[in-house]
Amino acid sequence: MKPRLAKIRILLEHDLSPAPIFAVFVGYWLPLDWLLSNGILGGASPLEKAYAIASSAVFNYGLVALVLSGLIYLIAGTLYLFKFSLRGMVRTGMSLCAWLGFLTITKGVLYRMLFHSAPMALGFQWFWRGVVVVLALLMTWKGWNPRKVLAIPMGLGAAILAAGLILVACEGSGVGLPPPVRAKGPVSARPDILLITLDATSARHLTMYGSKRPTSPNLQAFANGALTLDHFYANANWTRSGIASLLNGARPWTHQGDLGAPRQEVVNSQNLVKQLALAGYNTDYVGTNLFASPSFQRSLPFFHRGRLFVSVPVGILGDLGAHFPSLVRSLWLGPVPMLYSHFDFRHFLEKTRTPIAAAERLMGQAPSNRPSFFWLHLVTEHDPYAAPPPFMGSFERSPLARSVRTTQTHYGFGAKADPCYPGIYEGRYDEAIRCMDDGLGGLFAWMKATGRYDRTLIVITADHGESFSHGYGGHGGPLLSEDLIHIPCLIKRPYQHSAERDDRLYEQCDLAPTLLQMVGLPIPVGIEGYPISRKPEGLPVFSMNHDLAFGPPTFSVAIRLGDWKYVEHWGHWTVPWPRRELYDLAEDPGEHQNLVATRPDKAADLRGRILMELARRHINPEQE
């Protein structure tokens, strides 16, 4: 072996080397995490997958491993002042940290594989405690060095990091990335567009949709000069799939964004932002959700500028995202989200004011010689629901659930066991909506002061709702209740000052063709939605979910036709909920009386419509 390589090997195998932590994170956790979380990479090209894994290795796993190694050296160095053995403390610290990482990852993997029911999960917890006790006793056995039996080559982590750095450099240089989309031909005079998407916002919690609390006075004032769609439905019950439907005018069974990023061919042929960019629009965005970001939605080449604010300790992500699109995916898994989930970051409380201030700056810098499209995604109402003063406690005076950590709802049916569910959480959620509404009031005031408000086509909607009913918390998962899929949609045309309401049925995939028609642009072939002014009477709307996170995969589809709503669930079904649901929403808006048994004719008719749509797309729900 060459002397230089021999020295590197000595460093990797040295007692004080951080290689064990690198090996555990990069050589064990990274491949397992990506293999088991295929939804993050679903639909991605081989190059996109390579870039995403490289970003994980460099910006996520490797970075955290370095930080942990540094902390161990710092702590051991401090204790050395008290005459302990520095070498022994660092060696023990590295070994213990590597094994804790190894055990934590293994537990997480097994838990994901086994967590099908509450008794099974409880039994697994006790089993794992026994495993930890046995390993702790073994580590006290004289002469037993856990580092030497850690079955991961010490150089593997360093090798992956080196390859990751090369791939990150390639991505930063634009190798293999699609070129930016720019206008073809002269730019026509068209109105500015402002699209505001509110994360996890259920329609029934807003004033104009009948909320009993004064949650949205500024939105109500906006609605007094806009069109309110009374029955607007999300095509999915979580962010990445709902936003894909909104941007591409397609339902999830077409764009397949519920399994990862939306299909490239769908984005290329019918994406709303791409059509606007080709027509000469200046396109900018400010985002606050990784799954709603242009990077994840494959629409980054269609934007000129943007900022991404997310609840991770990476303040420069908004700038890096333009050069490293895969960074958005890489930070969703692994040790970084696990670390920040345990800290009460102050910028959680700034998740309205900071992005709105950035939006005002970008809109103010937009060129005046072409129309502008601006997309603002606000995550204020998404859990954790802790709103800053003076909103905290304005609707719910309980001393409980007043911090970021204590307003993190339990998703799915696990929420039932929490004493804060549903009342206290629902109060905090409404306070977060009031905080969001206050921020939008400031944005509208700024637009009016700068002369932008009247001349702009403004659309306010949501990606999905939030559940505080049926014993079900949060969003996502198999349920498709009204809390989760009935969302707001307000549209203000330029120079509109009177209120309008429309009580027909619409869905997210109708929004892209509606905006294109309003600004005089052609609607691409393939869009499943209709402009609201030309939507035929009597069409149903659909919502669906591929549940990949709440245990074994399930596939749920909801159809609403008139006042009737039917939901069918396929797949591994272990939740306390019927597989088939039928409701008359005119008589039972809260969905408490399942009429499948008493109205089998109506259930069969609506089920047949779902099966016909699935058959047209060659989807076998039993295999989803």
Side-chain angles (χ1 to χ4, degrees):
M1 182 179 291
K2 294 182 179 180
R4 185 169 297 177
L5 293 177
K7 289 181 179 179
I8 293 175
R9 180 172 181 177
I10 291 171
L11 288 174
L12 288 173
E13 296 178 349
H14 195 273
D15 286 335
L16 308 186
S17 168
I21 302 175
F22 275 108
V24 168
F25 278 169
V26 183
Y28 178 59
W29 194 346
L30 185 147
L32 269 181
D33 220 352
W34 287 106
L35 286 172
L36 292 172
S37 303
N38 185 56
I40 303 295
L41 291 177
S45 67
L47 184 62
E48 287 176 322
K49 292 179 180 179
Y51 281 158
I53 293 174
S55 292
S56 289
V58 175
F59 294 115
N60 189 345
Y61 301 86
L63 182 63
V64 172
L66 279 175
V67 170
L68 288 177
S69 301
L71 285 174
I72 291 171
Y73 277 97
L74 181 63
I75 294 171
T78 303
L79 293 176
Y80 182 66
L81 299 177
F82 299 96
K83 305 302 182 182
F84 295 100
S85 167
L86 176 62
R87 183 187 183 94
M89 286 183 294
V90 172
R91 181 176 58 213
T92 303
M94 293 294 182
S95 174
L96 185 60
C97 190
W99 267 94
L100 285 176
F102 184 85
L103 293 174
T104 302
I105 300 157
T106 306
K107 176 186 176 182
V109 170
L110 292 175
Y111 192 75
R112 273 162 124 177
M113 294 169 61
L114 298 175
F115 181 34
H116 301 337
S117 64
M120 187 177 293
L122 182 61
F124 176 74
Q125 295 286 3
W126 281 107
F127 165 77
W128 195 256
R129 288 167 187 161
V131 171
V132 173
V133 169
V134 170
L135 287 174
L137 291 173
L138 283 173
M139 291 180 72
T140 62
W141 184 18
K142 186 176 180 179
W144 191 76
N145 187 346
R147 284 184 63 192
K148 293 183 178 179
V149 296
L150 195 60
I152 301 175
M154 291 296 110
L156 182 58
I160 295 178
L161 280 173
L165 285 170
I166 295 172
L167 285 171
V168 165
C170 290
E171 184 182 24
S173 302
V175 177
L177 297 180
V181 170
R182 296 294 181 261
K184 295 180 179 179
V187 176
S188 303
R190 291 189 170 93
D192 292 343
I193 303 173
L194 171 60
L195 171 63
I196 301 174
T197 49
L198 309 174
D199 208 297
T201 301
S202 183
R204 62 182 58 182
H205 285 264
L206 300 180
T207 306
M208 69 289 303
Y209 288 93
S211 171
K212 296 179 181 178
R213 289 172 169 150
T215 58
S216 47
N218 290 295
L219 281 179
Q220 179 62 64
F222 175 86
N224 291 339
L227 168 65
T228 299
L229 303 183
D230 290 332
H231 303 297
F232 189 76
Y233 279 84
N235 288 128
N237 62 6
W238 64 314
T239 299
R240 77 182 181 203
S241 191
I243 290 295
S245 289
L246 188 153
L247 293 180
N248 298 293
R251 300 184 181 111
W253 52 33
T254 299
H255 62 65
Q256 298 179 11
D258 48 356
L259 301 177
R263 290 166 54 206
Q264 190 71 65
E265 56 267 33
V266 172
V267 175
N268 288 343
S269 64
Q270 59 197 63
N271 184 271
L272 168 67
V273 188
K274 181 179 182 179
Q275 305 308 312
L276 294 173
L278 288 173
Y281 270 82
N282 177 73
T283 53
D284 296 331
Y285 74 92
V286 166
T288 51
N289 186 317
L290 295 172
F291 283 149
S293 67
S295 297
F296 198 92
Q297 293 290 334
R298 281 184 158 154
S299 56
L300 191 62
F302 315 146
F303 284 93
H304 294 89
R305 300 173 303 166
R307 290 286 295 166
L308 179 61
F309 298 91
V310 293
S311 52
V312 295
V314 184
I316 58 174
L317 182 58
D319 298 320
L320 287 176
H323 303 286
F324 304 100
S326 66
L327 184 59
V328 170
R329 287 189 179 93
S330 73
L331 288 178
W332 185 250
L333 298 172
V336 165
M338 286 188 64
L339 287 175
Y340 75 66
S341 67
H342 292 286
F343 295 95
D344 193 351
F345 288 108
R346 301 306 301 172
H347 63 261
F348 262 98
L349 305 182
E350 296 293 332
K351 57 186 180 178
T352 302
R353 286 174 288 187
T354 300
I356 285 180
E360 291 175 357
R361 285 194 299 272
L362 283 180
M363 281 193 280
Q365 297 166 1
S368 58
N369 62 343
R370 60 177 56 208
S372 289
F373 169 80
F374 197 93
W375 176 25
L376 171 63
H377 185 89
L378 290 177
V379 76
T380 312
E381 310 86 84
H382 194 292
D383 68 297
Y385 310 125
F391 308 104
M392 173 63 71
S394 57
F395 295 142
E396 176 55 63
R397 301 195 178 277
S398 169
L400 299 176
R402 285 179 171 260
S403 69
V404 170
R405 294 193 65 184
T406 56
T407 55
Q408 180 77 49
T409 187
H410 299 271
Y411 278 61
F413 289 100
K416 291 191 294 185
D418 193 319
C420 294
Y421 175 88
I424 296 176
Y425 282 154
E426 194 165 10
R428 298 287 177 253
Y429 174 73
D430 285 342
E431 290 164 1
I433 290 178
R434 182 66 186 86
C435 175
M436 171 274 299
D437 180 83
D438 184 73
L440 288 183
L443 174 63
F444 295 150
W446 174 83
M447 293 181 69
K448 291 175 181 177
T450 56
R452 291 175 168 83
Y453 186 83
D454 273 345
R455 68 171 188 256
T456 302
L457 169 59
I458 303 176
V459 179
I460 303 174
T461 185
D463 53 355
H464 56 80
E466 189 82 339
S467 178
F468 298 95
S469 62
H470 305 299
Y472 195 86
H475 50 268
L479 260 63
L480 296 168
S481 65
E482 291 293 285
D483 278 358
L484 289 165
I485 62 174
H486 181 204
I487 58 174
C489 187
L490 312 171
I491 303 175
K492 184 197 80 67
R493 297 185 299 274
Y495 302 101
Q496 179 178 353
H497 298 288
S498 59
E500 301 176 59
R501 296 196 82 107
D502 188 335
D503 64 356
R504 292 179 296 169
L505 292 176
Y506 299 103
E507 53 191 321
Q508 277 174 328
C509 62
D510 294 329
L511 198 53
T514 296
L515 290 179
L516 291 173
Q517 185 208 38
M518 283 185 167
V519 298
L521 290 174
I523 298 171
V525 175
I527 280 188
E528 289 181 276
Y530 294 86
I532 61 173
S533 63
R534 299 208 308 255
K535 184 155 189 175
E537 293 284 348
L539 289 183
V541 297
F542 294 92
S543 185
M544 59 205 73
N545 176 270
H546 273 94
D547 173 26
L548 303 173
F550 284 68
T554 60
F555 180 50
S556 304
V557 180
I559 179 175
R560 177 166 178 183
L561 180 61
D563 291 328
W564 289 96
K565 177 180 177 183
Y566 177 82
V567 187
E568 176 127 359
H569 307 278
W570 290 274
H572 191 88
W573 198 246
T574 59
V575 300
W577 199 254
R579 275 185 174 270
R580 297 179 179 179
E581 308 171 61
L582 177 67
Y583 306 105
D584 180 355
L585 295 180
E587 300 294 329
D588 180 24
E591 301 171 288
H592 299 297
Q593 299 295 322
N594 187 353
L595 303 177
V596 166
T598 57
R599 289 298 308 270
D601 56 330
K602 180 59 68 173
D605 173 49
L606 296 177
R607 183 175 190 269
R609 291 173 182 262
I610 291 176
L611 293 176
M612 181 176 65
E613 293 290 339
L614 293 174
R616 284 178 54 202
R617 293 160 179 83
H618 308 288
I619 297 174
N620 181 356
E622 299 294 344
Q623 297 178 357
E624 291 299 310

